């Protein structure tokens, strides 16, 4: 019998899952109030801004995959672009070889809020007030502070006091770091959202109010507060110097969230959908293409053959990511060839019985210069070590940093589905904007300052984000929303989950609870962009025989602390009307709720 920590939830009314139990409860409340999956997801997203502020915020980023019942999935791009002043020459004039992992120069246009509003406008049912009020309540009246949030604040308290006074005012009220479990309030954030609602409600009707909120954010008092702050602020960043940012109110006024077709491949009866080449989503699709003819079902899901094969596929897909992917509106991305069976077969033929220690991007005619540039970056190596707030707070290196971002999955009684991965605006990575109570994002650190790459910093370009929600639709009509926080690990854990669910027949909770693994044999997306050849992290509840066999194959095995890898969740809507959901027990925060 397969081990699980919790039952897979089943029901017929609705299912929600997120990385914090309060957010999941808010989502279920909104479904019970007659809201759709889109209302529930947005309410959960705003609540996560409050209860997990070290992992996401209103000025961050939010890609989502959505499915209106009976329709094909759609990608929602809440990834803001680089400001007009974000040029390679300007950053190099600041003495930088790499964009810092924290600080004002790491900021792009905030994208999450407008993406939620666009989704609500077109697919929601409830008034904006109903969606925002739970988050406002927890910001104004308080919530029991997670130990990980308290630890994050405590670690930065002295730095805040010395360098980022606006952050000190919010996160260390009275000059003291809050205690774990203590009631924590953010009245400035509550005032921000309350003012936004008051502005919206000067209009009549749900859609008109949402549009008014969008205007208030992009060109009204929110943009004005950010523009006013950044016009004068010159603050310490992760590279160890005080620098000014380049984001302006005009940058915010000229950007909006948008819909676009997702990319997809077919795999054993499932059409699997991901966001486009501006995300790392194609990595998972490439791996499915590489493994499409392998007898996965015959492999032990916790055995060395399965782990080795998936890891080697991931290494090759990530080398392709770091060579070819970027914003397709600003770069030529050969995505069709990357997802082709011929390209996958060439990669699969390269996978042997031992762990690869080399970097192996696939060869695509006409793109030889990008391959050469990739190898040059690898040869050059990281140019710095992570500074204060550097990088995404993923679980890849638990000795240094605990946490990650957040994720939401929702399915409602009508068959609507949402898979969303909000992130950015981490409390430890940028100073709080006065009057708003929350910090800016740091997604610009994903750009390179080398010219001629699909990820070269350029005004108006989207950074190639690691945020990577997933939807899958089966030929029998079943649909599955799933995802996880975790930076470069997101599509690694999702691949393992999906293969075990589809090929090994594990239910959602079993597939989530089974021991996970990931590799750092890739160029890190976050400052300082390091790579660890041959690395493979596994959870200790893998059988010892599996761990020994992987070491014998040449994998540089790192055994994680128990129950610390991945924060997966999933929700499934079956063609017979039955719904299922599950969430990880790891870190003891994520919960699924449904009936």
């Amino acid at each position: 019998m397969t081990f699980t920590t919790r039952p897979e939830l089943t029901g017929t009314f609705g299912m929600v899952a997120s990385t914090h139990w309060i957010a999941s409860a808010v989502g279920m409340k909104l479904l019970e109030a007659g809201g759709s999956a889109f209302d529930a997801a947005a309410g959960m997203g705003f609540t996560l801004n409050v209860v997990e502020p070290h992992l996401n915020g209103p000025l961050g980023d939010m890609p989502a995959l959505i499915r209106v019942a009976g329709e094909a999935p759609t990608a929602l791009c809440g990834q803001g672009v680089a400001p007009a002043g974000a040029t390679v020459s300007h950053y190099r004039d600041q003495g930088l070889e790499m964009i810092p992992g924290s600080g004002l120069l790491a900021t792009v246009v905030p994208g999450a809020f407008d993406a939620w509003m666009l989704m609500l406008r077109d697919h929601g049912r409830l008034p904006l007030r109903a969606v925002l009020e739970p988050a406002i309540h927890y910001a104004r009246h308080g919530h029991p502070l997670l130990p990980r949030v308290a630890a994050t604040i405590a670690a930065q308290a002295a730095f805040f006091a010395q360098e980022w006074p606006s952050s000190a005012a919010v996160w260390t009220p009275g000059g003291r770091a809050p205690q774990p479990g203590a009631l924590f309030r953010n009245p400035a954030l509550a005032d921000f959202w309350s003012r936004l609602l008051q502005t919206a409600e000067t209009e009549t009707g749900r859609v008109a109010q949402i549009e008014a909120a969008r205007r208030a954010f992009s060109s009204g008092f929110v943009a004005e507060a950010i523009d006013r702050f950044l016009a004068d602020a010159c603050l310490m960043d992760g590279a160890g110097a005080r620098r000014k940012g380049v984001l302006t109110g005009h940058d915010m006024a000229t950007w909006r969230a948008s819909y676009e077709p997702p990319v997809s491949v077919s795999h054993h009866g499932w059409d699997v959908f991901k966001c486009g080449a501006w995300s790392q989503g194609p990595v998972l699709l490439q791996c499915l293409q590489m493994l499409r003819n392998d007898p996965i079902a015959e492999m032990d899901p916790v055995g060395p053959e399965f782990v080795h094969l998936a890891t080697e596929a991931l290494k090759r897909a990530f080398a392709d990511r770091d060579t070819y992917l970027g914003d397709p509106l600003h770069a030529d991305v050969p995505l069709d060839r990357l997802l082709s069976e011929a390209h996958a077969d060439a990669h699969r033929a390269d996978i042997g019985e031992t762990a690869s220690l080399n970097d192996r991007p696939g060869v695509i005619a006409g793109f030889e210069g990008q391959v050469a540039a990739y190898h040059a970056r690898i040869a050059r190596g990281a140019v710095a070590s992570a500074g204060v707030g550097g990088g995404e707070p993923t679980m890849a290196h638990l000795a240094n940093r605990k946490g990650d971002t957040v994720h939401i999955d929702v399915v409602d009684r009508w068959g609507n589905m949402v898979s969303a991965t909000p992130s950015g605006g981490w409390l430890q990575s940028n100073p709080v904007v006065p009057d708003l109570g929350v910090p800016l994002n740091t997604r610009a650190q994903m750009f390179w300052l080398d010219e001629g790459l699909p990820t070269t910093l350029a005004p108006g370009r989207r950074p190639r984000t690691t945020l990577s929600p997933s939807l899958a639709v089966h030929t029998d009509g079943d649909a599955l929303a799933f995802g996880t926080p975790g930076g470069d690990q997101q599509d690694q854990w999702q691949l393992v989950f999906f293969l075990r669910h589809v090929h090994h027949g594990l239910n959602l909770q079993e597939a989530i609870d089974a021991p996970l693994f990931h590799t750092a044999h890739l160029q890190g997306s976050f400052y300082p962009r390091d790579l660890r050849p041959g690395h493979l992290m596994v959870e200790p509840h893998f059988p010892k025989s599996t761990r020994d066999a992987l070491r014998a194959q040449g994998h540089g095995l790192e055994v994680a602390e128990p129950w610390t890898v991945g924060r997966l969740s999933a929700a499934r809507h079956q063609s017979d009307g039955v719904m299922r959901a599950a969430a990880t027990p790891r870190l003891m925060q994520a919960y699924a709720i449904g009936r």
Side-chain angles (χ1 to χ4, degrees):
M1 179 177 176
T2 305
F3 170 77
T4 61
T5 60
R6 307 168 179 175
E8 179 191 60
L9 302 186
T10 58
T12 58
F13 177 80
M15 293 284 163
V16 301
S18 82
T19 49
H20 195 294
W21 63 87
I22 290 178
S24 296
V26 166
M28 198 64 197
K29 164 185 163 51
L30 294 174
L31 290 183
E32 297 281 5
S36 67
F38 312 107
D39 296 301
M44 295 163 75
F46 291 122
T47 302
L48 288 170
N49 291 167
V50 178
V51 298
E52 293 194 285
H54 61 320
L55 310 180
N56 76 127
L59 306 184
D61 331 285
M62 197 282 288
L65 287 164
I66 66 174
R67 185 183 188 229
V68 176
E71 298 182 10
T74 298
L76 174 56
C77 178
Q79 177 53 67
V81 299
T87 63
V88 169
S89 60
H90 177 77
Y91 280 56
R92 289 205 177 274
D93 287 347
Q94 304 296 309
L96 295 168
E97 297 292 323
M98 187 179 294
I99 298 174
S102 66
L104 302 178
L105 280 175
T107 294
V108 299
V109 173
F113 181 83
D114 197 63
W116 286 125
M117 292 300 104
L118 181 61
M119 187 174 73
L120 285 175
R121 184 197 71 183
D122 295 340
H123 305 296
R125 291 168 171 249
L126 299 177
L128 181 57
R129 177 170 291 277
V131 173
L132 267 173
E133 274 191 332
I136 293 173
H137 169 85
Y138 287 111
R140 190 171 304 284
H141 299 289
H143 57 94
L145 196 67
L146 291 170
R148 294 175 191 279
V149 183
T152 300
I153 294 172
Q156 300 287 74
F159 176 82
F160 289 164
Q162 181 175 344
E163 301 290 349
W164 293 354
S166 60
S167 291
V170 170
W171 309 120
T172 57
R176 295 184 299 274
Q179 294 299 304
L183 206 60
F184 185 81
R185 300 173 177 86
N186 188 344
L189 174 56
D191 290 344
F192 160 23
W193 278 335
S194 295
R195 182 179 175 186
L196 199 145
L197 267 182
Q198 290 165 5
T199 302
E201 289 174 345
T202 60
E203 301 288 341
T204 301
R206 193 183 70 85
V207 170
Q209 290 178 359
I210 290 171
E211 286 298 323
R214 296 178 78 188
R215 291 192 299 273
F217 190 92
S218 65
S219 57
F221 78 91
V222 179
E224 290 167 0
I226 292 171
D227 187 88
R228 188 166 55 248
F229 173 55
L230 291 179
D232 297 322
C234 185
L235 299 171
M236 184 66 70
D237 62 27
R242 296 180 180 87
R243 297 182 175 92
K244 294 175 65 67
V246 294
L247 179 69
T248 67
H250 183 264
D251 294 313
M252 294 182 62
T254 53
W255 181 87
R256 290 292 186 278
S258 60
Y259 300 114
E260 62 182 51
V263 295
S264 66
V265 301
S266 296
H267 184 83
H268 289 257
W270 291 87
D271 289 330
V272 184
F273 297 87
K274 301 290 288 186
C275 294
W278 51 272
S279 79
Q280 74 175 6
V283 164
L284 186 145
L285 303 183
Q286 281 194 258
C287 290
L288 293 178
Q289 290 288 74
M290 282 183 237
L291 304 178
R292 70 190 189 282
N293 295 323
D294 284 287
I296 302 295
E298 299 173 16
M299 300 178 189
D300 181 350
V302 295
E305 184 182 13
F306 174 75
V307 176
H308 172 76
L309 185 58
T311 300
E312 293 303 306
L314 284 162
K315 290 177 182 178
R316 287 152 178 82
F318 274 107
D320 279 354
R321 180 199 73 170
D322 296 326
T323 302
Y324 299 110
L325 296 189
D327 186 349
L329 299 179
H330 292 260
D332 184 10
V333 180
L335 193 57
D336 288 345
R337 281 180 279 178
L338 289 171
L339 297 180
S340 70
E341 292 185 357
H343 189 81
D345 291 344
H347 270 316
R348 180 64 185 86
D350 187 54
I351 297 176
E353 296 301 316
T354 59
S356 171
L357 301 181
N358 299 317
D359 307 296
R360 302 176 184 271
V363 177
I364 295 180
F367 290 82
E368 292 83 0
Q370 289 180 206
V371 175
Y374 169 76
H375 286 300
R377 293 198 306 275
I378 296 297
R380 188 172 70 221
V383 299
S385 59
V388 60
E392 179 173 8
T394 72
M395 289 184 290
H397 310 292
L398 279 169
N400 300 321
R401 192 173 290 114
K402 299 180 188 292
D404 48 285
T405 181
V406 300
H407 183 76
I408 294 164
D409 295 304
V410 187
V411 57
D412 66 27
R413 55 186 150 160
W414 301 285
N416 302 307
M417 302 187 79
V418 178
S419 175
T421 311
S423 187
W426 307 311
L427 72 85
Q428 65 272 38
S429 296
N430 239 329
V432 162
V433 178
D435 302 325
L436 300 183
V438 286
L440 290 158
N441 64 78
T442 53
R443 194 60 58 176
Q445 68 184 289
M446 322 222 83
F447 288 116
W448 289 96
L449 298 181
D450 301 329
E451 296 284 6
L453 305 176
T455 49
T456 298
L457 177 69
R461 176 176 281 183
R462 288 173 288 185
R464 193 221 64 228
T465 183
T466 55
L467 304 173
S468 191
S470 298
L471 279 180
V473 180
H474 196 268
T475 53
D476 65 7
D478 286 12
L480 176 67
F482 61 102
T484 179
D488 292 317
Q489 289 74 50
Q490 288 183 29
D491 283 297
Q492 303 196 53
W493 299 329
Q494 291 182 72
L495 174 68
V496 177
F497 160 81
F498 186 73
L499 292 175
R500 285 169 171 166
H501 183 54
V502 170
H503 291 276
H504 298 118
L506 301 186
N507 71 33
L508 299 181
Q509 194 66 52
E510 291 168 344
I512 287 172
D513 285 354
L516 287 169
F517 58 92
H518 65 261
T519 179
H521 182 111
L522 51 88
Q523 192 156 53
S525 295
F526 297 89
Y527 188 93
R529 316 301 290 267
D530 53 350
L531 177 148
R532 300 174 65 186
H535 170 268
L536 178 60
M537 177 176 274
V538 300
E539 288 192 295
H541 52 300
F542 269 105
K544 182 177 183 299
S545 58
T546 295
R547 287 179 271 138
D548 289 344
L550 291 168
R551 288 190 181 97
Q553 287 177 289
H555 292 282
L557 218 64
E558 179 181 3
V559 180
E561 293 297 316
W563 295 97
T564 57
V565 174
R567 291 178 74 194
L568 286 154
S569 65
R572 180 167 175 167
H573 188 279
Q574 297 178 181
S575 56
D576 61 3
V578 173
M579 303 177 207
R580 302 176 183 276
T584 186
R586 296 167 176 89
L587 305 187
M588 296 186 289
Q589 289 175 206
Y591 274 89
I593 302 174
R595 68 172 179 84

